[in-house]
Amino acid sequence: MKISIQINEGPYQHQASDSAYQFTKAAIAKGHEIFRVFFYHDGVDNASRFTVPPQDDRHIVNKWAELGIKNADGSDVELVVCVAAALRRGMLDESEASKNGIDGNNIHPAFRISGLGQLIEAGIQSDRLVVFGD
Amino acid sequence: MKISIQINEGPYQHQASDSAYQFTKAAIAKGHEIFRVFFYHDGVDNASRFTVPPQDDRHIVNKWAELGIKNADGSDVELVVCVAAALRRGMLDESEASKNGIDGNNIHPAFRISGLGQLIEAGIQSDRLVVFGD
Amino acid sequence: MSTKKFIYLNRKAPYGTVYALESLEVVLIAAAFEQDVSLAFIDDGVYQIIKGQNTDGIGMKNFSKTYHALGDYDVNKIYVSAESLEERGLSVDDLMPLTYEDEDDDWAEKTSIKIISNVQLTKIMSEQDVCLSF
Amino acid sequence: MSTKKFIYLNRKAPYGTVYALESLEVVLIAAAFEQDVSLAFIDDGVYQIIKGQNTDGIGMKNFSKTYHALGDYDVNKIYVSAESLEERGLSVDDLMPLTYEDEDDDWAEKTSIKIISNVQLTKIMSEQDVCLSF
Amino acid sequence: MLHIVNKSSFERNSLKSCLNTIDDTSIILLIEDGVISAANNVNSYMLADLAADSRVFALQEDIDARGISSKVADNIKLVDYAGFVDLVVEQGTAVSWV
Amino acid sequence: MLHIVNKSSFERNSLKSCLNTIDDTSIILLIEDGVISAANNVNSYMLADLAADSRVFALQEDIDARGISSKVADNIKLVDYAGFVDLVVEQGTAVSWV
């Protein structure tokens, strides 16, 4: 089955991102396709490549970026960050940074900034959309 | 009177930072001294110089950094970001970035990263400590 | 693209958290996708569409007028929980008049708001393909 | 530095949000400042010090053992709400045995936990200089 | 002591918990979504008792934002941010029921 | 329909709101702090009725994390993350009461 995920909260403050990650891993292990993970609201903060958790704690950003996020057919799971939510929370990729005259960027390369339409499209294209939030 | 403020939530998602800002402005207008504003939990995200809100919306980070945050005697209001909370949420100044091998930093220069001891010290040195959170 | 039934559940008061605003942003984008869209205001979500909101004092953007645009985007199935209104001592007269022009009835202006019971809401929800709650 | 009375109110369950963990981090730092420190566990905060927490399945750090360090830091006024325990069907036997060594009594090991009523909590709170709630 | 409540009593238990620890000298201030509890038909019996005793305040700016100024119960005292500051100064230790 | 509740019913109104919209085919899954409502003495009458009808599930991993595995009411059905995925697949549209 084709499943998409929406994550509404940032890493560490709420369990949302951890739960979504465990769910995503379990879904892929069962052979389902994760069509898209859409990061909205404070969820955009899960995409920061500046994140430095304590050594004895999990690295949520890297877990999303590196581990187990390939579908059974080997395709990548799309990690999409809402651009409007990201900008007002200081999450920028190179293109948005240069557009807005900011000398730096912090979106991890495994994530992609895009519009809210990608969430709606995920709802349309997927058999299920599961939301994780506060 | 000497007052300190603790802010536990990031900008835009919760009203905490807005309320704290309005409170701080009003306290200064009344001649009180704001000893320290301490950003903890997701509150550290209020210090991001990457923040780009929509044109018709308030710029919370700049409001803290630039407007009305001088005490009646002309001294700056200290804006302190908890280092432990900041690192796990991808908020870095130059020094923390280089210590952790990250090629970039996003703390606005009006804010200063420091330890949790600064919160306790604020509690000891101030007549009041007011918390704004979720 | 196929057509699906989307419902947006708005459960939180405006301004205290960003969910009301960012939910509205989703709905307006969603309208462009020509899906079957419903909005439900339940619990404290009913405060999102109350008349006479004035945010001058809190320094935040008053986005309540944007709800009037929903009709122009053909979003005219707006459900409000009777039980939620009643618990809060509110009636339909306290709500902003949200309307649309009915193209099947010589563009007559009609109300988009329908006050529904929990039983009706249950039935409406059970018919949806995608349910996003904010 | 002068001595003040600090109380930390812990009201949230662990893991669902970070408040429990980051509150514990504050308390441990605070201990170094030799202030008069009390901790109160009320509402869902009582789950923070329940026995037998096992976080292997959720992929988060189990920090519950750190509460045992409180005694070593001379934090031994740990209040737990009787009403909150009772509402949740819990008793003191469900809690981790948090102890300290009493230097005035030949270093005898004693319990730090005191079960208190709302009336007692009200009195304790009214005697504090600083109250931080998490 | 000043008790600050920033959540709607419909959504969270924070006002209820706060009311458990009120003594004769405590004052409650409702801010942010907490002002919803200042509305007429909303406030609990216990809050109403305190309000009758002039010990419940609500932040005008947050009431205005939520469009409920005409709904506020008569005996709730309204303050602006300057009044909020005064309450913090006058009432001793502040506790925020976040 | 699958109703996902992730908050303690002591802290928030989300379980209560969810219960208002349950029909004969609805299933409830408790995750994160929501598992607190799976404990013996905690769950509401209405949740107990649904549980008796085998329609209330709780996530084992979240129960273990909170140290309440011995407290869970008998008729609550436990699932792991794989079981969570199965419920999403089998039960149609999912709604998260965040």
Side-chain angles (χ1 to χ4, degrees):
Chain A
M1 199 174 249
K2 217 184 260 194
I3 302 174
S4 285
I5 307 285
Q6 179 186 335
I7 300 178
N8 292 341
E9 299 292 335
Y12 304 104
Q13 186 101 335
H14 298 87
Q15 200 182 343
S17 183
D18 291 288
S19 298
Y21 174 76
Q22 301 291 348
F23 178 88
T24 300
K25 258 202 337 189
I28 291 170
K30 282 186 157 279
H32 298 294
E33 179 195 351
I34 299 295
F35 177 74
R36 184 170 290 157
V37 183
F38 190 84
F39 296 87
Y40 196 39
H41 304 301
D42 273 1
V44 299
D45 294 333
N46 287 289
S48 174
R49 65 180 178 84
F50 286 3
T51 307
V52 185
Q55 302 242 319
D56 62 345
D57 203 351
R58 71 226 184 266
H59 194 311
I60 300 181
V61 178
N62 286 354
K63 277 174 101 167
W64 277 115
E66 291 162 17
L67 295 172
I69 57 159
K70 286 206 178 290
N71 285 307
D73 66 0
S75 68
D76 283 337
V77 172
E78 275 195 77
L79 305 173
V80 178
V81 175
C82 170
V83 62
L87 286 174
R88 63 164 70 100
R89 288 171 181 84
M91 295 296 303
L92 305 169
D93 62 7
E94 230 176 293
S95 149
E96 289 299 333
S98 83
K99 244 189 269 178
N100 291 286
I102 306 269
D103 68 325
N105 60 76
N106 54 350
I107 299 269
H108 190 291
F111 297 76
R112 170 168 73 78
I113 280 192
S114 192
L116 268 173
Q118 297 267 305
L119 171 61
I120 308 302
E121 200 206 37
I124 296 170
Q125 300 288 346
S126 308
D127 299 299
R128 299 284 185 275
L129 177 60
V130 186
V131 181
F132 293 87
D134 177 26
Chain B
M1 198 173 248
K2 219 183 258 192
I3 302 173
S4 285
I5 307 285
Q6 179 185 337
I7 300 178
N8 292 342
E9 299 292 335
Y12 304 104
Q13 187 102 333
H14 298 87
Q15 199 183 342
S17 183
D18 291 287
S19 297
Y21 174 77
Q22 301 291 347
F23 178 90
T24 300
K25 258 202 340 190
I28 292 170
K30 282 187 156 280
H32 298 295
E33 180 195 348
I34 300 294
F35 177 75
R36 184 170 290 156
V37 182
F38 190 85
F39 296 87
Y40 195 39
H41 304 299
D42 273 1
V44 300
D45 294 332
N46 286 287
S48 173
R49 64 181 178 82
F50 286 3
T51 307
V52 185
Q55 302 241 319
D56 62 344
D57 203 352
R58 71 227 185 265
H59 194 310
I60 300 181
V61 178
N62 286 354
K63 278 174 100 166
W64 277 114
E66 292 162 16
L67 294 172
I69 58 159
K70 286 205 176 292
N71 285 307
D73 66 0
S75 67
D76 283 336
V77 172
E78 275 194 77
L79 305 174
V80 179
V81 176
C82 171
V83 60
L87 286 174
R88 63 164 71 101
R89 288 172 181 83
M91 295 297 303
L92 305 169
D93 62 7
E94 230 177 292
S95 148
E96 290 298 335
S98 85
K99 242 189 270 176
N100 291 285
I102 306 268
D103 69 326
N105 60 77
N106 54 349
I107 299 270
H108 190 291
F111 297 76
R112 171 169 72 77
I113 280 192
S114 190
L116 267 174
Q118 298 266 305
L119 171 61
I120 308 303
E121 200 207 37
I124 296 169
Q125 301 287 346
S126 308
D127 299 299
R128 300 283 184 275
L129 177 61
V130 186
V131 181
F132 293 87
D134 178 28
Chain C
M1 240 179 248
S2 60
T3 298
K4 283 196 173 181
K5 291 170 81 80
F6 280 69
I7 193 166
Y8 299 87
L9 284 190
N10 296 288
R11 297 184 52 240
K12 309 261 169 81
Y15 310 115
T17 52
V18 81
Y19 304 106
L21 167 63
E22 290 188 333
S23 155
L24 185 55
E25 291 181 352
V26 175
V27 173
L28 292 174
I29 298 282
F33 283 78
E34 308 210 336
Q35 303 295 303
D36 179 345
V37 171
S38 301
L39 254 69
F41 294 90
I42 66 174
D43 297 331
D44 284 339
V46 298
Y47 289 108
Q48 294 180 21
I49 52 170
I50 212 165
K51 273 180 193 159
Q53 299 174 34
N54 177 350
T55 62
D56 293 347
I58 58 170
M60 294 170 75
K61 192 170 78 168
N62 180 350
F63 58 91
S64 64
K65 283 179 180 57
T66 314
Y67 291 101
H68 290 294
L70 291 170
D72 305 333
Y73 285 90
D74 290 327
V75 177
N76 52 34
K77 282 182 283 191
I78 300 183
Y79 302 109
V80 180
S81 161
E83 285 88 345
S84 298
L85 284 177
E86 202 196 330
E87 275 189 312
R88 287 160 184 79
L90 299 172
S91 77
V92 68
D93 297 333
D94 293 309
L95 305 179
M96 298 189 288
L98 303 180
T99 60
Y100 71 106
E101 294 178 347
D102 186 350
E103 62 175 316
D104 298 332
D105 189 8
D106 200 21
W107 304 98
E109 194 177 26
K110 297 186 175 177
T111 182
S112 302
I113 294 180
K114 196 168 172 189
I115 309 294
I116 58 167
S117 67
N118 285 336
V119 173
Q120 288 172 296
L121 176 63
T122 303
K123 181 154 185 306
I124 291 163
M125 283 177 60
S126 72
E127 295 161 353
Q128 306 296 320
D129 298 306
V130 181
C131 179
L132 297 178
S133 84
F134 291 94
Chain D
M1 242 181 247
S2 60
T3 297
K4 283 195 171 181
K5 289 171 81 81
F6 280 69
I7 193 166
Y8 299 86
L9 284 190
N10 295 289
R11 298 183 51 241
K12 309 260 170 80
Y15 310 115
T17 52
V18 81
Y19 304 106
L21 167 63
E22 290 188 334
S23 156
L24 185 56
E25 290 181 353
V26 175
V27 173
L28 292 174
I29 297 283
F33 283 78
E34 308 209 338
Q35 303 295 303
D36 179 344
V37 172
S38 300
L39 253 69
F41 294 90
I42 66 175
D43 297 330
D44 284 340
V46 299
Y47 289 109
Q48 293 179 22
I49 52 170
I50 212 165
K51 273 179 193 161
Q53 298 173 36
N54 177 350
T55 62
D56 293 347
I58 59 170
M60 294 169 76
K61 193 170 77 171
N62 180 352
F63 57 91
S64 64
K65 284 180 179 58
T66 314
Y67 291 100
H68 290 293
L70 290 170
D72 304 332
Y73 285 90
D74 291 326
V75 177
N76 53 35
K77 283 182 282 194
I78 300 183
Y79 302 109
V80 179
S81 162
E83 285 88 343
S84 297
L85 284 178
E86 201 195 332
E87 275 188 310
R88 287 161 184 78
L90 299 172
S91 77
V92 67
D93 297 333
D94 293 308
L95 306 179
M96 297 187 289
L98 303 180
T99 60
Y100 71 106
E101 294 179 346
D102 187 350
E103 62 174 316
D104 298 332
D105 189 9
D106 199 20
W107 305 99
E109 192 176 28
K110 297 185 175 178
T111 181
S112 302
I113 293 180
K114 196 168 172 190
I115 309 294
I116 58 167
S117 67
N118 285 335
V119 173
Q120 288 172 297
L121 175 63
T122 303
K123 182 156 184 307
I124 291 162
M125 283 178 61
S126 72
E127 294 161 355
Q128 305 297 318
D129 298 305
V130 181
C131 178
L132 297 179
S133 84
F134 290 93
Chain E
M1 195 158 202
L2 176 66
H3 296 261
I4 303 169
V5 175
N6 76 331
K7 290 293 169 193
S8 162
S9 52
F10 288 109
E11 195 206 348
R12 307 262 186 133
N13 71 342
S14 51
L15 177 61
K16 188 165 160 271
S17 295
C18 164
L19 288 169
N20 282 336
T21 63
I22 291 294
D23 66 15
D24 293 348
T25 63
S26 301
I27 296 284
I28 293 180
L29 171 64
L30 306 170
I31 68 169
E32 300 181 357
D33 290 347
V35 298
I36 287 170
S37 305
N40 248 315
N41 304 39
V42 170
N43 64 57
S44 69
Y45 290 112
M46 192 164 163
L47 190 67
D49 284 350
L50 287 169
D53 205 16
S54 301
R55 288 162 59 197
V56 182
F57 295 74
L59 193 64
Q60 181 76 61
E61 286 88 337
D62 279 319
I63 287 171
D64 291 344
R66 288 153 189 83
I68 56 172
S69 47
S70 67
K71 306 279 175 190
V72 175
D74 286 340
N75 45 22
I76 303 270
K77 303 178 81 146
L78 300 178
V79 290
D80 57 10
Y81 286 105
F84 181 178
V85 173
D86 290 341
L87 286 174
V88 165
V89 169
E90 292 158 9
Q91 300 296 329
T93 306
V95 49
S96 296
W97 291 86
V98 290
Chain F
M1 195 161 203
L2 176 66
H3 296 261
I4 304 169
V5 174
N6 76 330
K7 291 293 167 191
S8 161
S9 52
F10 288 110
E11 194 207 348
R12 308 261 185 132
N13 71 341
S14 52
L15 178 61
K16 187 165 160 270
S17 295
C18 165
L19 288 169
N20 283 335
T21 62
I22 291 293
D23 66 15
D24 293 348
T25 63
S26 301
I27 297 285
I28 293 180
L29 171 64
L30 305 170
I31 67 167
E32 301 181 355
D33 290 347
V35 298
I36 288 170
S37 305
N40 248 315
N41 304 40
V42 169
N43 64 58
S44 69
Y45 291 111
M46 191 163 164
L47 191 66
D49 283 352
L50 286 169
D53 205 16
S54 300
R55 288 162 59 197
V56 182
F57 295 75
L59 193 64
Q60 181 77 59
E61 287 89 337
D62 279 318
I63 286 172
D64 292 343
R66 288 154 189 84
I68 55 172
S69 47
S70 66
K71 306 278 174 189
V72 175
D74 286 340
N75 45 21
I76 303 268
K77 302 177 80 146
L78 301 178
V79 291
D80 58 9
Y81 285 105
F84 180 178
V85 172
D86 289 341
L87 286 175
V88 165
V89 169
E90 292 158 10
Q91 299 296 329
T93 306
V95 49
S96 295
W97 291 87
V98 289

